[in-house]
Amino acid sequence: MYRFLTRSLPRKSCSRNWKRGILTPAFALNQEWNERHSDISRLGLGGEYEWIATVQKKFIGGGYATPVDVDVAVCMGEEKDQVEDVLDIVRKLRHSPLASRVAPSSQYAILRLLLKHNPKEIIRLANDTINNGIFADEHSACLILNNLIEKEEWKDAARISGWMTHQEEYESELLKTLCLYSSLRWAELSFEERMEEKEEEEEINDDDIVTIKMAFLKKEYNDCHLDVVDLPSLTAKTMLWLSREMNIDLSLKRCIESVSNVIGGKSVPSIDTISPSAALLIHSYLSTLPDQSEEINEYIEKVKVVGEKEKDVESLSSKVLSYLKNIQKKEEKILMEKQVKKFEQWNERRRNLIEVQTKRLQLKVLRCEMEKELSELEEEEQRLFFFENRLLLEKSARENAEIANENYLHK
Protein backbone atom coordinates (compact mmCIF):
# COMPACT_ATOMS: atom_id res chain seq x y z
CA MET A 1 0.00 0.00 0.00
CA TYR A 2 2.87 2.33 0.80
CA ARG A 3 4.42 1.83 -2.64
CA PHE A 4 1.10 2.49 -4.34
CA LEU A 5 0.71 5.71 -2.38
CA THR A 6 4.17 6.91 -3.36
CA ARG A 7 3.57 6.27 -7.05
CA SER A 8 0.18 7.91 -7.05
CA LEU A 9 1.40 11.15 -5.49
CA PRO A 10 2.79 14.00 -7.59
CA ARG A 11 6.55 14.24 -7.79
CA LYS A 12 6.70 17.41 -5.68
CA SER A 13 4.94 15.78 -2.75
CA CYS A 14 7.88 13.51 -1.99
CA SER A 15 10.96 14.84 -0.24
CA ARG A 16 14.01 15.44 -2.37
CA ASN A 17 16.40 12.55 -2.65
CA TRP A 18 19.62 14.19 -1.49
CA LYS A 19 22.78 12.46 -2.66
CA ARG A 20 24.96 14.75 -0.59
CA GLY A 21 24.80 16.30 2.82
CA ILE A 22 22.73 19.38 3.49
CA LEU A 23 25.39 21.36 5.32
CA THR A 24 28.23 23.14 3.53
CA PRO A 25 31.75 21.62 3.59
CA ALA A 26 33.08 24.65 5.47
CA PHE A 27 30.76 23.86 8.38
CA ALA A 28 32.95 20.88 9.35
CA LEU A 29 35.74 23.29 10.43
CA ASN A 30 38.38 20.75 9.44
CA GLN A 31 41.22 23.25 9.31
CA GLU A 32 40.32 24.82 12.65
CA TRP A 33 39.97 21.41 14.30
CA ASN A 34 43.32 20.20 12.92
CA GLU A 35 45.09 23.11 14.61
CA ARG A 36 44.87 21.16 17.86
CA HIS A 37 47.75 18.97 16.68
CA SER A 38 50.18 21.88 16.54
CA ASP A 39 48.96 23.06 19.94
CA ILE A 40 49.42 19.60 21.47
CA SER A 41 52.85 19.13 19.87
CA ARG A 42 54.09 22.20 21.76
CA LEU A 43 53.36 20.35 25.01
CA GLY A 44 56.23 17.97 24.22
CA LEU A 45 54.41 14.75 25.12
CA GLY A 46 55.75 12.66 22.24
CA GLY A 47 54.01 10.98 19.33
CA GLU A 48 50.36 9.99 19.29
CA TYR A 49 50.94 6.22 19.39
CA GLU A 50 53.45 6.54 22.25
CA TRP A 51 51.18 8.77 24.31
CA ILE A 52 48.11 6.57 23.80
CA ALA A 53 50.16 3.56 24.96
CA THR A 54 51.38 5.57 27.96
CA VAL A 55 47.83 6.44 28.99
CA GLN A 56 46.79 2.80 28.58
CA LYS A 57 49.57 1.74 30.97
CA LYS A 58 48.34 4.20 33.60
CA PHE A 59 45.08 2.25 33.88
CA ILE A 60 46.89 -1.04 34.45
CA GLY A 61 47.11 -2.40 37.99
CA GLY A 62 44.20 -0.49 39.46
CA GLY A 63 45.55 2.95 38.60
CA TYR A 64 43.99 5.52 36.34
CA ALA A 65 45.02 8.36 34.08
CA THR A 66 43.91 11.92 34.64
CA PRO A 67 41.20 13.47 32.43
CA VAL A 68 43.74 15.72 30.72
CA ASP A 69 45.92 12.68 29.90
CA VAL A 70 42.92 11.04 28.27
CA ASP A 71 41.95 14.28 26.53
CA VAL A 72 45.37 14.61 24.91
CA ALA A 73 45.32 10.95 23.81
CA VAL A 74 41.84 11.22 22.31
CA CYS A 75 42.57 14.50 20.55
CA MET A 76 45.79 13.04 19.13
CA GLY A 77 43.95 10.10 17.56
CA GLU A 78 43.46 10.32 13.80
CA GLU A 79 44.07 6.84 12.40
CA LYS A 80 41.65 3.94 12.09
CA ASP A 81 43.83 1.56 14.11
CA GLN A 82 43.65 3.97 17.06
CA VAL A 83 39.86 3.88 17.38
CA GLU A 84 39.65 0.83 19.66
CA ASP A 85 42.44 2.07 21.94
CA VAL A 86 40.88 5.50 22.26
CA LEU A 87 37.43 4.05 22.99
CA ASP A 88 38.95 1.77 25.63
CA ILE A 89 40.69 4.70 27.30
CA VAL A 90 37.51 6.79 27.42
CA ARG A 91 35.50 3.84 28.75
CA LYS A 92 38.03 3.20 31.52
CA LEU A 93 37.97 6.85 32.53
CA ARG A 94 34.17 6.71 32.61
CA HIS A 95 34.38 3.90 35.19
CA SER A 96 37.03 5.62 37.31
CA PRO A 97 36.61 8.05 40.24
CA LEU A 98 37.28 10.91 37.79
CA ALA A 99 34.32 10.12 35.52
CA SER A 100 32.64 13.47 36.18
CA ARG A 101 35.71 15.37 34.95
CA VAL A 102 35.78 14.06 31.38
CA ALA A 103 36.66 16.99 29.13
CA PRO A 104 34.08 18.13 26.55
CA SER A 105 36.88 18.17 23.98
CA SER A 106 37.40 14.43 24.58
CA GLN A 107 33.78 13.68 23.76
CA TYR A 108 33.89 15.88 20.68
CA ALA A 109 37.16 14.32 19.49
CA ILE A 110 35.96 10.73 19.86
CA LEU A 111 32.79 11.49 17.90
CA ARG A 112 34.73 13.09 15.06
CA LEU A 113 37.16 10.17 15.01
CA LEU A 114 34.28 7.69 14.81
CA LEU A 115 32.52 9.78 12.19
CA LYS A 116 35.66 9.51 10.09
CA HIS A 117 36.32 5.77 10.48
CA ASN A 118 33.32 3.99 12.06
CA PRO A 119 30.06 6.00 12.11
CA LYS A 120 28.00 2.96 13.16
CA GLU A 121 29.79 2.92 16.50
CA ILE A 122 28.24 6.31 17.30
CA ILE A 123 24.78 4.71 17.33
CA ARG A 124 25.99 2.17 19.87
CA LEU A 125 27.39 4.95 22.05
CA ALA A 126 24.10 6.83 21.81
CA ASN A 127 22.20 3.76 22.98
CA ASP A 128 24.33 3.38 26.13
CA THR A 129 25.39 6.80 27.34
CA ILE A 130 25.54 5.73 31.00
CA ASN A 131 28.37 3.25 30.47
CA ASN A 132 30.16 5.14 27.71
CA GLY A 133 29.74 8.69 28.97
CA ILE A 134 29.87 10.22 25.48
CA PHE A 135 27.51 13.11 24.76
CA ALA A 136 27.37 15.09 21.53
CA ASP A 137 27.41 18.86 21.48
CA GLU A 138 25.54 20.92 18.89
CA HIS A 139 28.28 21.00 16.27
CA SER A 140 29.19 17.30 16.44
CA ALA A 141 25.50 16.35 16.39
CA CYS A 142 24.98 18.39 13.22
CA LEU A 143 27.96 16.68 11.59
CA ILE A 144 26.63 13.25 12.53
CA LEU A 145 23.13 14.00 11.24
CA ASN A 146 24.51 15.49 8.04
CA ASN A 147 26.53 12.32 7.45
CA LEU A 148 23.48 10.11 8.01
CA ILE A 149 21.29 12.29 5.79
CA GLU A 150 23.90 12.06 3.05
CA LYS A 151 23.78 8.25 3.29
CA GLU A 152 19.97 8.32 3.65
CA GLU A 153 20.17 6.28 6.85
CA TRP A 154 16.99 7.71 8.29
CA LYS A 155 16.60 5.16 11.04
CA ASP A 156 19.98 6.02 12.55
CA ALA A 157 19.32 9.71 11.98
CA ALA A 158 16.08 9.43 13.95
CA ARG A 159 17.96 7.67 16.76
CA ILE A 160 20.51 10.49 16.92
CA SER A 161 17.65 13.01 16.94
CA GLY A 162 16.18 11.18 19.91
CA TRP A 163 19.59 11.30 21.57
CA MET A 164 19.50 15.07 21.29
CA THR A 165 16.00 15.08 22.76
CA HIS A 166 17.28 13.19 25.80
CA GLN A 167 20.03 15.79 26.17
CA GLU A 168 17.53 18.61 25.57
CA GLU A 169 19.79 20.32 23.04
CA TYR A 170 17.39 23.04 21.92
CA GLU A 171 19.60 26.10 21.58
CA SER A 172 20.71 25.77 17.95
CA GLU A 173 17.94 26.27 15.39
CA LEU A 174 20.06 24.43 12.83
CA LEU A 175 20.34 21.31 14.98
CA LYS A 176 16.65 21.36 15.84
CA THR A 177 15.70 21.58 12.17
CA LEU A 178 18.02 18.72 11.19
CA CYS A 179 16.55 16.58 13.96
CA LEU A 180 12.99 17.35 12.92
CA TYR A 181 13.74 16.71 9.25
CA SER A 182 15.39 13.36 10.07
CA SER A 183 12.44 12.33 12.24
CA LEU A 184 9.93 13.13 9.51
CA ARG A 185 11.94 11.25 6.91
CA TRP A 186 12.03 8.24 9.23
CA ALA A 187 8.23 8.39 9.54
CA GLU A 188 7.95 8.24 5.74
CA LEU A 189 9.71 4.86 5.60
CA SER A 190 7.90 1.56 5.26
CA PHE A 191 7.27 -0.55 8.35
CA GLU A 192 10.11 -2.94 7.52
CA GLU A 193 12.56 -0.07 7.04
CA ARG A 194 11.51 1.55 10.31
CA MET A 195 12.06 -1.62 12.33
CA GLU A 196 15.29 -1.72 14.32
CA GLU A 197 17.49 -4.73 13.81
CA LYS A 198 17.74 -6.97 16.85
CA GLU A 199 21.20 -7.95 17.92
CA GLU A 200 21.96 -11.63 17.71
CA GLU A 201 22.04 -13.19 21.14
CA GLU A 202 25.27 -14.88 22.00
CA GLU A 203 24.95 -18.54 22.90
CA ILE A 204 25.90 -19.00 26.55
CA ASN A 205 26.50 -22.29 28.28
CA ASP A 206 24.33 -22.62 31.40
CA ASP A 207 27.28 -24.08 33.29
CA ASP A 208 29.20 -20.83 32.80
CA ILE A 209 26.46 -18.69 34.36
CA VAL A 210 27.10 -17.56 37.93
CA THR A 211 23.96 -16.71 39.91
CA ILE A 212 24.23 -14.06 42.61
CA LYS A 213 21.34 -13.07 44.86
CA MET A 214 21.28 -9.42 45.82
CA ALA A 215 18.75 -6.80 46.91
CA PHE A 216 18.01 -3.97 44.51
CA LEU A 217 15.51 -1.17 44.15
CA LYS A 218 13.03 -1.79 41.37
CA LYS A 219 12.05 1.27 39.40
CA GLU A 220 8.29 1.58 39.67
CA TYR A 221 7.66 4.39 37.22
CA ASN A 222 8.59 5.71 33.80
CA ASP A 223 9.85 9.29 33.71
CA CYS A 224 8.52 9.69 30.12
CA HIS A 225 11.84 11.18 29.06
CA LEU A 226 15.08 9.26 29.60
CA ASP A 227 13.09 6.04 29.97
CA VAL A 228 11.66 6.49 26.47
CA VAL A 229 13.97 4.35 24.34
CA ASP A 230 11.83 2.66 21.67
CA LEU A 231 12.28 4.53 18.40
CA PRO A 232 8.61 5.30 17.54
CA SER A 233 7.86 6.82 20.95
CA LEU A 234 11.18 8.66 21.05
CA THR A 235 10.71 10.03 17.53
CA ALA A 236 7.18 11.15 18.35
CA LYS A 237 8.48 12.96 21.43
CA THR A 238 11.24 14.54 19.33
CA MET A 239 8.74 15.83 16.76
CA LEU A 240 6.44 17.23 19.42
CA TRP A 241 9.13 19.00 21.43
CA LEU A 242 11.04 20.37 18.46
CA SER A 243 7.93 21.69 16.72
CA ARG A 244 7.14 23.68 19.86
CA GLU A 245 10.70 25.00 20.19
CA MET A 246 11.22 26.01 16.56
CA ASN A 247 10.21 29.25 14.87
CA ILE A 248 8.19 27.58 12.14
CA ASP A 249 4.75 28.39 10.79
CA LEU A 250 1.88 27.71 13.19
CA SER A 251 0.01 25.53 10.70
CA LEU A 252 3.15 23.42 10.19
CA LYS A 253 3.49 23.05 13.96
CA ARG A 254 -0.06 21.74 14.22
CA CYS A 255 0.54 19.27 11.40
CA ILE A 256 3.67 17.93 13.08
CA GLU A 257 1.86 17.66 16.42
CA SER A 258 -0.87 15.62 14.75
CA VAL A 259 1.68 13.28 13.19
CA SER A 260 3.50 13.03 16.52
CA ASN A 261 0.34 11.92 18.32
CA VAL A 262 -0.27 9.23 15.71
CA ILE A 263 3.29 7.87 15.83
CA GLY A 264 3.34 7.97 19.62
CA GLY A 265 0.05 6.06 19.75
CA LYS A 266 -1.68 8.77 21.76
CA SER A 267 -4.55 9.69 19.44
CA VAL A 268 -5.55 10.21 15.83
CA PRO A 269 -6.58 13.69 14.72
CA SER A 270 -10.05 14.46 13.50
CA ILE A 271 -10.52 14.20 9.74
CA ASP A 272 -12.02 17.70 9.66
CA THR A 273 -8.94 19.34 11.19
CA ILE A 274 -6.21 17.48 9.35
CA SER A 275 -4.29 19.12 6.49
CA PRO A 276 -3.39 17.32 3.23
CA SER A 277 0.32 17.31 4.15
CA ALA A 278 -0.34 15.73 7.53
CA ALA A 279 -2.84 13.33 5.98
CA LEU A 280 -0.20 12.26 3.47
CA LEU A 281 2.27 11.28 6.20
CA ILE A 282 -0.31 9.79 8.57
CA HIS A 283 -1.66 7.60 5.79
CA SER A 284 1.79 6.41 4.74
CA TYR A 285 2.65 5.62 8.37
CA LEU A 286 -0.55 3.87 9.45
CA SER A 287 -0.99 1.94 6.22
CA THR A 288 2.33 0.16 6.72
CA LEU A 289 1.60 -0.98 10.28
CA PRO A 290 0.57 -4.64 10.54
CA ASP A 291 -2.55 -6.03 12.24
CA GLN A 292 -4.71 -2.92 12.19
CA SER A 293 -8.24 -2.91 13.57
CA GLU A 294 -11.23 -2.34 11.31
CA GLU A 295 -11.78 1.09 12.82
CA ILE A 296 -8.22 2.16 12.02
CA ASN A 297 -8.52 0.79 8.48
CA GLU A 298 -11.59 2.96 7.93
CA TYR A 299 -9.70 5.95 9.31
CA ILE A 300 -6.80 5.23 6.93
CA GLU A 301 -9.15 5.32 3.94
CA LYS A 302 -10.62 8.64 5.07
CA VAL A 303 -7.15 10.10 5.57
CA LYS A 304 -6.19 8.95 2.10
CA VAL A 305 -9.11 10.90 0.64
CA VAL A 306 -7.98 14.05 2.47
CA GLY A 307 -4.43 13.63 1.17
CA GLU A 308 -5.66 13.30 -2.42
CA LYS A 309 -7.90 16.38 -2.32
CA GLU A 310 -5.17 18.67 -3.61
CA LYS A 311 -2.64 18.15 -6.35
CA ASP A 312 1.08 18.72 -5.82
CA VAL A 313 0.82 18.28 -2.06
CA GLU A 314 4.12 19.15 -0.44
CA SER A 315 5.20 16.72 2.26
CA LEU A 316 6.00 17.89 5.78
CA SER A 317 9.64 16.92 5.42
CA SER A 318 9.90 19.05 2.27
CA LYS A 319 8.45 22.02 4.14
CA VAL A 320 10.94 21.56 6.97
CA LEU A 321 13.75 21.21 4.44
CA SER A 322 12.70 24.47 2.79
CA TYR A 323 12.74 26.16 6.19
CA LEU A 324 16.19 24.69 6.80
CA LYS A 325 17.51 26.11 3.53
CA ASN A 326 16.23 29.56 4.48
CA ILE A 327 18.02 29.65 7.82
CA GLN A 328 21.04 27.54 6.91
CA LYS A 329 23.53 30.28 6.05
CA LYS A 330 22.81 32.34 9.15
CA GLU A 331 22.62 29.41 11.58
CA GLU A 332 25.74 27.74 10.20
CA LYS A 333 27.71 30.93 10.73
CA ILE A 334 26.46 31.28 14.32
CA LEU A 335 27.31 27.70 15.21
CA MET A 336 30.70 27.82 13.46
CA GLU A 337 31.77 30.94 15.35
CA LYS A 338 30.62 29.38 18.60
CA GLN A 339 32.54 26.18 17.91
CA VAL A 340 35.76 27.98 16.96
CA LYS A 341 35.65 29.75 20.33
CA LYS A 342 35.22 26.35 21.96
CA PHE A 343 38.33 25.07 20.19
CA GLU A 344 40.34 27.98 21.55
CA GLN A 345 38.98 27.47 25.06
CA TRP A 346 39.72 23.75 24.94
CA ASN A 347 43.31 24.34 23.83
CA GLU A 348 43.87 26.91 26.56
CA ARG A 349 42.28 24.68 29.20
CA ARG A 350 44.41 21.73 28.08
CA ARG A 351 47.61 23.79 28.33
CA ASN A 352 46.70 25.04 31.80
CA LEU A 353 45.86 21.57 33.09
CA ILE A 354 49.07 20.10 31.69
CA GLU A 355 51.04 22.91 33.33
CA VAL A 356 49.34 22.32 36.69
CA GLN A 357 49.83 18.57 36.40
CA THR A 358 53.52 19.07 35.57
CA LYS A 359 54.00 21.30 38.61
CA ARG A 360 52.28 18.74 40.83
CA LEU A 361 54.54 16.03 39.49
CA GLN A 362 57.62 18.18 40.10
CA LEU A 363 56.48 18.85 43.67
CA LYS A 364 55.88 15.14 44.18
CA VAL A 365 59.38 14.32 42.95
CA LEU A 366 60.84 17.04 45.18
CA ARG A 367 58.93 15.67 48.16
CA CYS A 368 60.25 12.16 47.52
CA GLU A 369 63.79 13.50 47.28
CA MET A 370 63.39 15.43 50.54
CA GLU A 371 61.97 12.38 52.33
CA LYS A 372 64.86 10.28 51.05
CA GLU A 373 67.40 12.88 52.16
CA LEU A 374 65.77 13.13 55.61
CA SER A 375 65.89 9.37 55.98
CA GLU A 376 69.58 9.35 55.07
CA LEU A 377 70.30 12.08 57.63
CA GLU A 378 68.55 10.09 60.35
CA GLU A 379 70.62 7.04 59.49
CA GLU A 380 73.79 9.14 59.52
CA GLU A 381 72.86 10.57 62.91
CA GLN A 382 72.36 7.10 64.34
CA ARG A 383 75.72 6.02 62.96
CA LEU A 384 77.61 9.03 64.35
CA PHE A 385 76.11 8.79 67.83
CA PHE A 386 76.06 4.99 68.03
CA PHE A 387 78.49 4.61 71.00
CA GLU A 388 76.97 7.49 72.96
CA ASN A 389 73.55 6.01 72.49
CA ARG A 390 74.88 2.61 73.57
CA LEU A 391 76.16 3.99 76.90
CA LEU A 392 72.82 5.66 77.56
CA LEU A 393 70.97 2.45 76.81
CA GLU A 394 73.24 0.44 79.14
CA LYS A 395 72.80 2.99 81.94
CA SER A 396 69.02 2.90 81.48
CA ALA A 397 69.09 -0.89 81.59
CA ARG A 398 71.05 -0.94 84.88
CA GLU A 399 68.62 1.53 86.47
CA ASN A 400 65.66 -0.58 85.40
CA ALA A 401 67.32 -3.69 86.85
CA GLU A 402 67.95 -1.96 90.20
CA ILE A 403 64.34 -0.82 90.42
CA ALA A 404 63.18 -4.34 89.69
CA ASN A 405 65.42 -5.77 92.46
CA GLU A 406 64.15 -3.25 95.02
CA ASN A 407 60.57 -4.12 94.23
CA TYR A 408 61.38 -7.81 94.63
CA LEU A 409 63.02 -7.28 98.07
CA HIS A 410 60.08 -5.26 99.38
CA LYS A 411 57.76 -8.11 98.58
Side-chain angles (χ1 to χ4, degrees):
M1 186 177 293
Y2 178 76
R3 292 177 180 174
F4 169 78
L5 176 64
T6 305
R7 288 198 304 268
S8 63
L9 288 174
R11 186 177 182 84
K12 291 183 180 180
S13 65
C14 299
S15 297
R16 302 175 192 176
N17 191 15
W18 290 90
K19 296 299 181 183
R20 59 181 178 81
I22 294 177
L23 304 180
T24 59
F27 180 78
L29 298 174
N30 292 324
Q31 183 177 352
E32 291 82 355
W33 174 238
N34 289 333
E35 289 178 0
R36 75 193 187 282
H37 290 299
S38 59
D39 190 82
I40 292 175
S41 64
R42 288 194 287 269
L43 300 176
L45 300 176
E48 53 192 52
Y49 284 95
E50 292 80 2
W51 183 252
I52 291 175
T54 301
V55 176
Q56 284 276 31
K57 291 178 182 177
K58 290 187 177 184
F59 284 105
I60 298 175
Y64 52 87
T66 61
V68 68
D69 291 336
V70 174
D71 183 48
V72 173
V74 176
C75 291
M76 278 183 169
E78 281 286 358
E79 305 302 328
K80 188 174 183 179
D81 59 353
Q82 297 171 339
V83 172
E84 289 299 325
D85 292 332
V86 168
L87 280 173
D88 186 54
I89 290 172
V90 174
R91 194 175 297 112
K92 287 178 179 177
L93 180 62
R94 175 64 174 177
H95 293 271
S96 74
L98 301 176
S100 61
R101 292 165 56 186
V102 177
S105 52
S106 300
Q107 303 180 46
Y108 181 85
I110 190 67
L111 289 174
R112 289 202 63 146
L113 182 63
L114 291 174
L115 191 60
K116 180 179 179 182
H117 297 296
N118 188 10
K120 284 292 182 182
E121 184 68 16
I122 298 177
I123 307 302
R124 190 190 66 79
L125 295 178
N127 290 333
D128 191 10
T129 53
I130 293 178
N131 282 315
N132 297 302
I134 303 297
F135 302 92
D137 64 358
E138 295 168 340
H139 189 259
S140 58
C142 287
L143 293 178
I144 296 169
L145 285 171
N146 188 59
N147 179 270
L148 295 172
I149 290 172
E150 181 180 0
K151 298 177 181 178
E152 297 185 352
E153 296 179 357
W154 305 115
K155 184 168 55 179
D156 291 341
R159 173 60 66 181
I160 296 298
S161 301
W163 189 22
M164 294 300 100
T165 299
H166 280 160
Q167 294 182 198
E168 300 186 21
E169 290 284 356
Y170 297 142
E171 186 173 346
S172 171
E173 190 74 9
L174 180 65
L175 176 58
K176 290 186 289 187
T177 311
L178 285 172
C179 290
L180 183 57
Y181 175 69
S182 301
S183 301
L184 290 170
R185 288 304 304 265
W186 170 85
E188 294 173 356
L189 299 175
S190 65
F191 177 76
E192 291 76 13
E193 292 173 319
R194 290 197 303 267
M195 289 290 292
E196 292 188 281
E197 298 178 1
K198 295 183 178 180
E199 297 182 359
E200 296 182 1
E201 296 184 359
E202 183 181 356
E203 294 184 3
I204 301 175
N205 190 350
D206 294 339
D207 297 333
D208 297 334
I209 299 176
V210 179
T211 304
I212 301 175
K213 291 184 178 181
M214 57 180 295
F216 69 97
L217 295 175
K218 185 177 180 181
K219 195 170 185 179
E220 298 181 353
Y221 65 93
N222 188 310
D223 67 358
C224 297
H225 185 58
L226 295 176
D227 290 331
V228 179
V229 292
D230 63 291
L231 195 52
S233 300
L234 186 57
T235 304
K237 187 180 184 70
T238 300
M239 289 182 183
L240 183 62
W241 281 27
L242 291 179
S243 63
R244 293 175 179 176
E245 292 288 333
M246 291 171 58
N247 299 319
I248 55 178
D249 184 68
L250 181 59
S251 60
L252 181 56
K253 284 188 178 185
R254 290 175 178 173
C255 291
I256 295 173
E257 288 178 4
S258 300
V259 174
S260 170
N261 290 331
V262 172
I263 295 175
K266 295 181 179 180
S267 62
V268 290
S270 173
I271 296 296
D272 299 332
T273 60
I274 195 171
S275 68
S277 298
L280 176 73
L281 184 52
I282 292 173
H283 178 270
S284 66
Y285 184 85
L286 291 178
S287 61
T288 59
L289 295 178
D291 303 327
Q292 295 284 10
S293 64
E294 184 177 348
E295 182 180 356
I296 294 297
N297 287 329
E298 292 178 359
Y299 180 81
I300 291 173
E301 293 300 323
K302 293 179 181 179
V303 169
K304 180 181 178 182
V305 173
V306 175
E308 294 176 346
K309 279 184 178 180
E310 299 180 9
K311 294 183 179 180
D312 299 336
V313 178
E314 187 179 14
S315 66
L316 294 180
S317 60
S318 296
K319 292 181 179 180
V320 173
L321 184 59
S322 299
Y323 173 75
L324 174 59
K325 289 298 179 181
N326 292 333
I327 67 169
Q328 180 176 353
K329 185 176 180 180
K330 176 184 175 182
E331 292 298 326
E332 277 192 11
K333 183 180 179 181
I334 293 174
L335 199 51
M336 288 168 66
E337 292 175 351
K338 181 179 179 181
Q339 196 65 27
V340 169
K341 289 181 180 178
K342 280 187 179 181
F343 291 162
E344 296 172 355
Q345 293 170 358
W346 291 345
N347 290 335
E348 183 180 0
R349 179 179 180 273
R350 192 182 302 113
R351 288 193 298 268
N352 293 337
L353 289 176
I354 287 291
E355 184 179 352
V356 171
Q357 185 167 297
T358 303
K359 288 182 179 179
R360 285 183 177 178
L361 183 59
Q362 291 173 348
L363 290 174
K364 185 178 180 180
V365 172
L366 181 60
R367 177 185 173 184
C368 292
E369 292 177 352
M370 293 176 65
E371 289 177 350
K372 182 180 179 181
E373 185 178 354
L374 183 60
S375 177
E376 292 175 352
L377 289 173
E378 289 178 353
E379 292 177 359
E380 181 69 15
E381 182 182 8
Q382 291 178 3
R383 186 181 66 81
L384 292 174
F385 296 95
F386 174 76
F387 293 103
E388 182 178 343
N389 292 337
R390 180 181 177 182
L391 294 174
L392 292 173
L393 290 173
E394 290 177 351
K395 181 180 178 181
S396 177
R398 286 195 300 269
E399 291 176 352
N400 291 336
E402 291 175 359
I403 293 172
N405 290 332
E406 290 178 0
N407 292 335
Y408 178 76
L409 293 174
H410 284 300
K411 289 181 179 179

